Amino acid sequence: MNKVLLASIFAVFTLFQASAANRYWVSSGASNWNNVANWSAASGGAGGASVPGAGDVAIFDGGGGKNGNCTLDIAPTVGGMSVITSYTGTIDLNGNILTLTGTVVFTKGTIANSGAPASVSLNTASVTFSGTLFSADVTGSSADVYFNGSTFNGIVNITKTGATNDNSNGGNIFNGITTITNNSAGQIVLGNINRDQFNAVTTFNNTGSYRFY
């Protein structure tokens, strides 16, 4: 490979790194996802930053009391997502698929869907559920999966693919049809501290090479 081509590849990689950023939801009232006025480069900061894209992390943390509901008016793909800290609003899929990659943390707020069938679609390195209320379907796969205390009213169909051992604390309530699959060389442990409740048809699959507790 010649030096010019190597330099070009490095330049593109550097440009991609530079363009990736954290984007904070800063709307105080109900508003749409695809509006630059609702996104800031800092928690609780001024709006006007870019709408988060495939290389960015979308953060809902309620900074500065910015707890407005968010309605998806597009079907976004983001490089990570955190619904955390003091966010008390609702993120409404509105019939749009929300595709998540990277690292995802759900500890606060509500994920809902008032539109046509849609889901939170995971293709992530890690996803942690520890407090968010889901009134929307959650599907897809993640290298690491942690169920540490959320309520799921929709369909849950999640596959673990990573080789690490994932021990979930429990305390979850699954009210919809649930399928959890371990397709990895690492173990899944559910209810490691508190019991989980499964109130609909539930399937546990072990298609990997290690344990499912």
Side-chain angles (χ1 to χ4, degrees):
M1 187 177 292
N2 62 52
K3 292 182 180 180
V4 173
L5 181 57
L6 281 173
S8 298
I9 293 172
F10 179 77
V12 170
F13 178 73
T14 302
L15 179 62
F16 174 80
Q17 284 188 312
S19 64
N22 291 340
R23 290 292 178 258
Y24 295 82
W25 177 258
V26 290
S27 178
S28 297
S31 193
N32 290 334
W33 175 288
N34 195 34
N35 183 343
V36 296
N38 295 329
W39 297 99
S40 176
S43 176
S50 59
V51 174
D56 303 320
V57 177
I59 301 173
F60 294 77
D61 67 351
K66 306 297 178 65
N67 279 303
N69 295 340
C70 173
T71 299
L72 271 63
D73 52 337
I74 58 172
T77 296
V78 291
M81 186 169 181
S82 295
V83 186
I84 55 173
T85 314
S86 59
Y87 183 73
T88 58
T90 295
I91 302 169
D92 185 353
L93 301 184
N94 190 36
N96 293 291
I97 294 175
L98 172 58
T99 301
L100 304 177
T101 64
T103 299
V104 177
V105 180
F106 293 107
T107 65
K108 298 290 184 179
T110 298
I111 309 294
N113 180 30
S114 64
S119 67
V120 175
S121 179
L122 304 174
N123 184 16
T124 54
S126 176
V127 59
T128 301
F129 304 100
S130 58
T132 298
L133 169 65
F134 287 84
S135 293
D137 298 345
V138 185
T139 62
S141 64
S142 183
D144 295 327
V145 182
Y146 300 98
F147 292 104
N148 293 339
S150 285
T151 297
F152 301 88
N153 292 325
I155 293 170
V156 174
N157 190 342
I158 297 178
T159 299
K160 167 183 161 56
T161 59
T164 58
N165 294 328
D166 297 348
N167 300 334
S168 295
N169 294 338
N172 304 278
I173 301 173
F174 297 86
N175 290 320
I177 296 172
T178 298
T179 304
I180 302 174
T181 301
N182 183 17
N183 185 25
S184 76
Q187 71 182 22
I188 292 180
V189 177
L190 300 180
N192 195 41
I193 297 175
N194 303 300
R195 70 188 181 100
D196 292 314
Q197 297 180 44
F198 298 90
N199 298 324
V201 175
T202 301
T203 303
F204 303 108
N205 293 319
N206 192 358
T207 57
S209 59
Y210 204 41
R211 299 173 294 198
F212 198 141
Y213 285 166

